[in-house]
């Protein structure tokens, strides 16, 4: 069941009446964030010939799709949804993805990391939690080349990580998908310069200025449906040395010392099953999640990502290599 | 809840990073894992304090190695009253462009002053940049009060000096707060040490300062970003102009002038998120439908027909006689020109070459453009105009004459930040090489 269809429900519209300047009613910050994101999406539509929206099945990209509906309906999206499937995705996220594309009648392109590994004879992820996070960059760059995408819209936010805090909204990548922090263009007012040469592309981040809490408040306000793994459920997990809960699945190499426990958990991000940790939670509803977030002390990445812990500058290096 | 965007400016070592770190820390916006990394880092850089709050705002490795902030970093924090977006910009003169960039989108400037040094050249420069960018409100944070024994006299003197200096600028509003970012005095909580100070703490100030809603009361402006044409069977003739209201408001039935084609028509319908609305206001993303089939594309500007002067028999409806018999004169009308004057800040490492091929972008409008003349150079330490030697280097502010290939519809920046601002793009490198504000 999806609630993405425009027109937006009546009660939502009434909750947010048009602001009359004469009565000096204050504009809500979610309206401003939403307006900014829609403005950016429309700039992508206006400036590029072959844009794409990178869809991960996670809450941030689900919000992007919702914003795209608001930006372009009754027209079709001026871009396809593109998913790089690591093969380690949560089945709930994949199901959600397929339903969404079908319901919205929008084009969905899926490319598989497994195919890239075969084609390029790459080494698959190894170890206890075999990650394909690094490998998905190859698939991403391939799909960009295949369709000659000149702009890729993503759901990254500046509050996620320090190296992202300086990310532009229009972030220029060279032919190799590389990001050079020294070559980023200054971004002034609401003027976005997406002019590029053949072969280059721009990564666009419409929700750069949103925080995790903003995203949840927006999901609540707009009544956006999410994959079930964002809410509490029982799951078989093992505890890692950092004290994080990892779910037991066919990809994780169990060790004799691992104790499998049934825990009530939910996911704060929906990434690769092998490197996204679950958090203990009793949150059944979006309201529960918001309440929970308001008194959690750990950042989204810190709580759920195993791959950034390796080094302080891990993200920066991955980005330079073409990672989103 | 409201949104407040502000930027911070200060000399190196005035305590800007510490102040922002303190705001985030004391408002509990820092997660424990991030604090943990910071504690580790603080140790490895050999800084004494438990955590070096300044490290919070230092992003990229190259910068960490050099120990300076070289870009605009965005930080976020939320209180019960407001969400804040901080554009943290570097203080060095060689990063003037970054400061201009960070400031362009904000409602408030926080200028830091070291209480021991008072107003410096840098303070003047930061304030003048804020002035050119047209920031409605400047807050002067007189920091490191702990190092001057929290002396009221010191504070008053700096306040007087700044007020005197600000008179030469047209800053709309200036406020002052004494703080110590290091000890936290008056940042979030009121301080025993600063009992003589009656005003709000920085935090209280940020939560309550009035956000200028300029755009709402200005003349109506809209620019097309994208044309929506579903071309399906049931929406065969649908043609909607998607864009955001830049300023003022538009109503269904409004007579509008369409620039640069110079034609008039009527607003037939305004849609917002799939629903028809009677009226739409500054900031709102909408789809507008017009009555006549005229040539409208990305970059086309809509304005009220009342501001459309040439050969019109239409009686402007802004001239109306009210009860008190006062006549409302029409406000500033849109200008449509190919030549205009502007102040530009040069942002490219490579200096301007006469005859250089440029593209001008204003919102979604683009046109080929050239800088015809460099009229004056603006001294960013005293805001005086100096004769230009014809060059335009990184971080220079100059008054220039620009000529565009297509007609530009604009307002002076002082009247409208949305339609009075533009960037210049180098046609060969695609880089954004300058930012400009239109003066006439
Ligand atoms: N005594 C005192 N020291 C401060 C204060 N604010 C910052 N500092 C110190 O001044 C130095 C420079 O501060 P920093 O925040 O890095 O300055 P920035 O270059 O403006 O970002 C650091 O050693 C801080 O600990 C203050 O209010 N009082």
């Amino acid at each position: 069941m999806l609630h993405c269809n425009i027109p937006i429900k009546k009660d939502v519209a009434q909750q947010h009446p048009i602001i009359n300047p004469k009565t000096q009613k204050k504009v809500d910050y979610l309206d401003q964030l939403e307006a900014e994101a829609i403005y950016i999406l429309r700039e992508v539509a206006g400036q590029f010939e072959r844009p794409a929206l990178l869809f991960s099945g996670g809450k941030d990209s689900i919000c992007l799709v919702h914003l795209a509906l608001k930006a372009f309906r009754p027209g079709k999206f001026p871009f396809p949804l593109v998913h790089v499937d690591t093969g380690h995705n949560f089945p709930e996220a994949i199901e959600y993805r397929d339903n969404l594309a079908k319901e919205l009648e929008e084009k969905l392109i899926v490319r598989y990391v497994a195919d890239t590994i075969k084609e390029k004879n790459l080494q698959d992820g190894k170890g206890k939690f075999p990650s394909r996070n690094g490998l998905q960059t190859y698939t991403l760059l391939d799909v960009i080349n295949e369709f000659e995408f000149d702009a890729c819209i993503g759901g990254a936010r500046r509050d996620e990580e320090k190296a992202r805090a300086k990310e532009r909204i229009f972030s220029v990548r060279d032919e190799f998908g590389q990001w050079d922090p020294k070559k980023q263009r200054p971004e002034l007012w609401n003027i976005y310069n997406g002019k590029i040469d053949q072969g280059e592309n721009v990564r666009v981040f419409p929700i750069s200025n949103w925080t995790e809490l903003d995203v949840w408040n927006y999901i609540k306000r707009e009544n956006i449906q999410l994959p079930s793994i964002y809410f509490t459920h029982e799951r078989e997990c093992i505890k890692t040395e950092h004290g994080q809960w990892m779910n037991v699945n066919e990809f994780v190499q169990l060790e004799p010392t691992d104790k499998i426990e049934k825990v009530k958990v939910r996911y704060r991000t929906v990434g690769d099953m092998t490197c996204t940790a679950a958090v203990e939670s009793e949150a059944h509803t979006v309201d529960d999640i918001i309440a929970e977030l308001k008194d959690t002390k750990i950042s989204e990445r810190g709580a759920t990502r195993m791959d950034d812990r390796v080094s302080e500058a891990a993200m920066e290096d991955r980005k330079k290599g073409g990672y989103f | 809840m409201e949104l407040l965007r502000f930027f911070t400016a200060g000399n190196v070592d005035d305590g800007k990073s510490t102040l922002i770190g303190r705001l985030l820390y004391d408002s509990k916006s820092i997660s424990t894992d991030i604090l943990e990394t910071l504690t580790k880092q603080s140790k490895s850089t050999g800084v004494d304090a438990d955590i070096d709050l300044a490290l919070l705002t230092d992003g990229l490795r190259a910068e960490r190695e050099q120990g300076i902030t070289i870009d605009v970093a965005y930080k976020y924090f939320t209180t019960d009253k407001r969400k804040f977006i901080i554009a943290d910009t570097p203080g060095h003169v060689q990063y003037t462009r970054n400061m201009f960039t960070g400031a362009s989108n904000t409602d408030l400037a926080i200028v830091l002053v070291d209480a021991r040094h008072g107003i410096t050249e840098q303070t003047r420069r930061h304030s003048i940049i804020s002035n050119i960018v047209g920031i409605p409100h400047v807050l002067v944070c007189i920091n490191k009060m702990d190092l001057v024994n929290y002396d009221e006299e010191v504070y008053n003197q700096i306040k007087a000096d700044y007020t005197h200096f600000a008179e030469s600028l047209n800053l709309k509003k200036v406020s002052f707060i004494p703080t110590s970012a290091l000890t936290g005095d008056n940042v979030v909580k009121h301080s025993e040490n600063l009992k003589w100070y009656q005003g709000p703490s920085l935090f209280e100030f940020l939560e309550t300062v009035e956000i200028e809603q300029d755009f709402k009361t200005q003349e109506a402006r809209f620019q097309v970003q994208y044309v929506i044409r579903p071309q399906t069977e049931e929406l065969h003739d649908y043609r909607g102009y998607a864009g955001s209201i830049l300023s003022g408001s538009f109503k269904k039935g409004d007579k509008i002038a369409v620039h640069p084609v110079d034609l008039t028509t009527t607003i037939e319908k305004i849609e917002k998120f799939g629903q028809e609305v009677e009226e739409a206001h500054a900031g709102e993303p909408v789809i507008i439908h017009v009555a006549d089939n005229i040539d409208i594309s990305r970059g086309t500007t809509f304005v009220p027909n009342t501001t459309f002067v040439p050969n019109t028999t239409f009686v402007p409806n802004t001239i109306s006689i009210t009860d008190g018999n006062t006549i409302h004169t029409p406000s500033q009308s849109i200008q449509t020109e190919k030549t205009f004057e502007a102040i530009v800040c040069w942002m490219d490492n490579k200096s301007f070459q006469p005859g250089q091929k440029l593209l001008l972008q204003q919102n979604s409008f683009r046109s080929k453009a050239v800088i015809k003349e460099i009229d004056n150079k603006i001294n960013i330490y005293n805001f005086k105009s100096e004769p230009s030697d014809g060059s335009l280097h990184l971080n220079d502010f100059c008054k220039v004459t620009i000529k565009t290939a297509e007609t530009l519809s604009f307002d002076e920046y002082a009247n409208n930040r949305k339609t009075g601002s533009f960037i210049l793009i180098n046609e060969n490198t695609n880089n954004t090489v300058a930012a400009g504000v239109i003066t006439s």
Side-chain angles (χ1 to χ4, degrees):
Chain A
M1 261 268 292
L2 299 161
H3 286 268
C4 286
N5 285 333
I6 298 278
I8 307 297
K9 286 217 209 102
K10 262 259 152 57
D11 54 318
V12 176
Q14 266 153 16
Q15 260 175 297
H16 303 279
I18 301 296
I19 283 76
N20 184 339
K22 277 135 214 152
T23 61
Q24 282 297 308
K25 197 170 175 294
K26 304 267 163 63
V27 185
D28 187 63
Y29 84 109
L30 284 178
D31 290 328
Q32 280 171 278
L33 293 177
E34 176 187 68
E36 180 181 70
I38 290 171
Y39 185 87
I40 293 161
L41 286 171
R42 287 172 170 174
E43 278 305 287
V44 174
Q47 290 197 33
F48 297 93
E49 278 164 37
R50 286 175 307 279
L53 189 151
L54 298 193
F55 184 80
S56 70
K59 63 178 189 314
D60 299 326
S61 55
I62 292 170
C63 279
L64 284 182
V65 169
H66 187 81
L67 290 161
L69 285 167
K70 289 194 163 193
F72 301 112
R73 284 293 186 258
K76 285 242 153 213
F77 291 178
F79 37 69
L81 310 180
V82 173
H83 184 228
V84 172
D85 192 332
T86 60
H88 292 174
N89 293 96
F90 290 94
E92 293 89 341
I94 298 295
E95 194 189 322
Y96 183 96
R97 172 196 80 190
D98 293 341
N99 284 339
L100 183 76
K102 213 185 309 146
E103 184 159 326
L104 302 182
E105 295 178 25
E106 292 292 344
K107 188 170 170 194
L108 171 70
I109 297 170
V110 182
R111 289 294 177 272
Y112 299 89
V113 173
D115 293 341
T116 316
I117 293 175
K118 250 188 259 149
E119 268 166 41
K120 293 201 156 50
N121 209 0
L122 299 171
Q123 179 68 56
D124 202 349
K126 269 199 188 150
K128 182 166 185 176
F129 302 106
S131 166
R132 283 179 168 172
N133 240 338
L135 292 167
Q136 68 183 353
T137 303
Y138 293 99
T139 317
L140 173 62
L141 296 183
D142 281 354
V143 71
I144 291 174
N145 281 337
E146 181 185 347
F147 292 93
E148 297 178 28
F149 291 132
D150 48 6
C152 298
I153 303 160
R157 309 187 318 264
R158 285 175 180 147
D159 80 321
E160 286 178 72
E161 214 273 345
K162 270 208 286 180
R164 290 233 191 259
K166 301 182 183 193
E167 181 65 279
R168 301 295 191 271
I169 287 176
F170 273 37
S171 175
V172 181
R173 306 301 166 99
D174 66 14
E175 281 171 78
F176 309 100
Q178 288 176 351
W179 178 78
D180 181 350
K182 296 213 171 70
K183 285 214 183 114
Q184 297 304 309
R185 298 170 181 168
E187 240 161 34
L188 294 116
W189 297 287
N190 59 337
I191 309 177
Y192 300 101
N193 172 7
K195 202 166 174 295
I196 48 171
D197 284 331
Q198 191 76 32
E200 293 177 331
N201 65 81
V202 177
R203 306 284 167 90
V204 180
F205 305 110
I207 59 168
S208 285
N209 285 326
W210 301 37
T211 62
E212 186 183 13
L213 196 56
D214 298 335
V215 171
W216 282 107
N217 280 324
Y218 188 68
I219 287 169
K220 177 183 166 188
R221 185 181 100 170
E222 301 289 311
N223 194 14
I224 298 171
Q225 299 298 297
L226 294 178
S228 55
I229 51 177
Y230 277 109
F231 303 94
T232 184
H233 55 284
E234 244 184 27
R235 196 175 271 269
E236 291 196 332
C237 292
I238 55 172
K239 204 166 211 162
T240 69
E241 52 188 316
H242 300 295
Q244 293 176 309
W245 288 112
M246 291 301 293
N247 88 323
V248 178
N249 57 56
E250 63 212 276
F251 311 108
V252 174
Q253 320 255 313
L254 290 178
E255 286 164 18
T257 50
D258 283 330
K259 210 169 95 215
I260 300 178
E261 292 172 66
K262 270 211 161 146
V263 218
K264 282 209 156 156
V265 293
R266 68 173 199 90
Y267 283 88
R268 274 174 83 178
T269 62
V270 175
D272 212 336
M273 266 201 286
T274 57
C275 55
T276 309
V279 292
E280 273 181 66
S281 167
E282 295 280 347
H284 289 277
T285 63
V286 175
D287 278 318
D288 294 344
I289 291 176
I290 291 171
E292 203 179 270
L293 280 177
K294 279 189 173 156
D295 47 51
T296 354
K297 293 280 174 322
I298 301 191
S299 75
E300 180 175 311
R301 262 181 191 271
T304 61
R305 299 299 287 250
M306 308 221 310
D307 44 342
D308 283 337
R309 297 205 139 213
V310 184
S311 101
E312 211 331 70
M315 169 67 107
E316 199 176 321
D317 289 335
R318 295 217 319 258
K319 268 179 56 176
K320 281 188 181 155
Y323 178 77
F324 219 71
Chain B
M1 197 157 72
E2 297 169 285
L3 180 65
L4 177 70
R5 298 174 195 252
F6 65 91
F7 89 103
T8 49
N11 280 343
V12 192
D13 285 345
D14 280 355
K16 189 162 55 70
S17 311
T18 311
L19 190 76
I20 295 173
R22 173 66 62 189
L23 275 175
L24 299 178
Y25 185 70
D26 284 358
S27 65
K28 307 205 171 40
S29 311
I30 309 170
S31 319
T32 39
D33 59 316
I34 292 175
L35 276 179
E36 207 180 283
T37 327
L38 286 178
T39 321
K40 259 188 272 161
Q41 270 181 34
S42 302
K43 282 188 186 126
S44 68
T45 46
V47 177
D48 290 342
D50 281 325
I51 42 159
D52 184 353
L53 290 172
L55 283 175
L56 261 178
T57 51
D58 273 356
L60 301 172
R61 182 165 32 192
E63 301 165 30
R64 283 201 296 280
E65 280 159 7
Q66 292 160 30
I68 44 164
T69 325
I70 54 171
D71 210 320
V72 186
Y74 294 90
K75 285 279 150 195
Y76 306 86
F77 71 102
T78 307
T79 68
D80 291 338
K81 295 208 178 73
R82 278 182 178 169
K83 174 188 166 93
F84 297 93
I85 302 181
I86 313 174
D88 182 19
T89 62
H92 290 59
V93 61
Q94 68 264 43
Y95 303 121
T96 293
R97 66 168 159 187
N98 307 66
M99 179 173 301
F100 195 84
T101 304
S104 67
N105 222 343
T106 57
D107 314 299
L108 171 78
I110 298 186
V111 174
L112 248 81
V113 173
D114 186 326
R116 293 170 304 175
H117 309 315
I119 311 288
T120 62
E121 280 209 315
Q122 306 310 322
T123 316
R124 283 193 202 100
R125 186 170 57 82
H126 298 155
S127 307
I128 287 165
I129 293 170
S130 307
N131 190 40
I132 297 172
V133 167
I135 302 272
H137 198 149
V138 172
L139 170 70
V140 183
C141 246
I142 301 172
N143 191 39
K144 303 202 182 184
M145 286 303 293
D146 56 313
L147 298 180
V148 295
N149 294 320
Y150 301 100
D151 188 351
E152 184 176 6
E153 271 312 299
V154 174
Y155 169 80
N156 283 338
Q157 187 57 50
I158 295 173
K159 191 172 160 181
D161 290 348
Y162 192 91
T163 308
H164 178 70
F165 154 72
E167 276 162 13
S168 60
L169 307 177
N170 22 18
L171 297 173
K172 283 189 200 142
K173 215 167 169 199
V174 184
S175 312
F176 300 87
I177 296 184
T179 59
S180 167
L182 191 67
T183 60
D185 286 299
N186 223 4
V187 177
V188 173
K189 287 183 228 102
H190 285 260
S191 156
E192 279 297 298
N193 298 319
L194 294 162
K195 268 200 185 125
W196 47 262
Y197 169 78
Q198 305 296 324
S201 68
L202 174 59
F203 208 74
E204 290 167 345
F205 175 88
L206 291 173
E207 279 198 320
T208 53
V209 59
E210 193 142 331
I211 303 169
E212 292 255 339
Q213 307 245 342
D214 256 13
F215 295 121
K216 306 249 127 117
T217 51
Q218 287 165 338
E219 278 269 299
R221 301 284 182 258
F222 172 85
Q223 210 186 59
V224 179
Q225 288 185 275
Y226 182 68
V227 183
I228 294 181
R229 297 186 60 199
Q231 290 176 307
T232 55
E233 233 160 78
E234 71 266 38
L235 293 168
H236 191 71
D237 296 323
Y238 186 102
R239 192 182 171 89
Y241 302 108
S244 289
I245 310 283
L246 299 174
S247 60
S249 26
F250 285 97
K251 273 200 303 293
K252 180 179 172 172
D254 274 356
K255 300 259 182 293
I256 55 165
V258 175
H259 293 296
V261 285
D262 267 15
L263 291 168
T264 59
T265 183
T266 308
I267 294 183
E268 198 176 59
K269 184 160 95 173
I270 304 176
E271 282 180 281
K272 189 178 177 191
F273 308 153
Q275 289 191 331
E276 202 176 325
V277 293
E278 282 301 307
E279 207 175 345
H281 308 283
E284 290 185 76
V286 290
I287 300 174
I288 294 183
H289 298 253
V290 299
D292 303 286
N293 188 5
I294 50 181
D295 180 20
I296 294 173
S297 56
R298 181 174 157 80
T300 299
T301 303
F302 295 179
V303 306
N305 191 3
T306 51
T307 61
F308 182 71
V309 201
N311 313 327
T312 172
T313 51
F314 183 77
V315 181
N317 61 14
T318 46
I319 299 179
S320 64
I321 299 181
T322 64
D323 291 345
N325 276 348
T326 46
I327 294 174
H328 290 267
T329 44
S331 44
Q332 286 289 330
S333 51
I334 193 110
Q335 304 190 47
T336 49
E337 305 283 348
K338 285 185 174 169
T339 307
F340 57 89
E341 283 178 6
I343 295 174
V344 295
C345 172
W346 194 254
M347 302 205 157
D348 200 19
N349 293 325
K350 287 204 204 84
S351 304
F352 168 74
Q353 305 291 318
Q356 195 170 349
K357 285 194 174 145
L358 299 167
L359 281 176
L360 175 141
Q361 185 176 344
Q362 171 225 39
N363 300 303
S364 307
F365 172 89
R366 261 192 205 162
S367 164
K368 284 183 190 286
V370 288
I371 296 181
K372 288 267 293 181
E373 220 155 317
I374 301 175
D375 305 321
N376 279 310
K377 188 170 164 165
I378 293 167
N379 182 323
I380 51 170
Y381 294 100
N382 60 20
F383 204 43
K384 296 220 162 81
S385 292
E386 293 168 357
S388 159
D389 62 359
S391 67
L392 200 45
H393 304 296
L394 177 63
N395 296 325
D396 279 355
F397 282 86
C398 289
K399 189 108 183 237
V400 299
T401 305
I402 291 179
K403 191 164 192 293
T404 50
E406 321 291 332
T407 304
L408 178 71
S409 318
F410 63 90
D411 294 280
E412 287 170 20
Y413 189 72
N415 294 330
N416 196 319
R417 274 171 92 178
K418 295 273 181 190
T419 51
S421 55
F422 62 88
I423 60 169
L424 294 175
I425 301 167
N426 180 323
E427 273 214 290
N428 295 321
T429 63
N430 297 332
N431 280 335
T432 301
V433 294
V437 300
I438 300 174
T439 51
S440 64

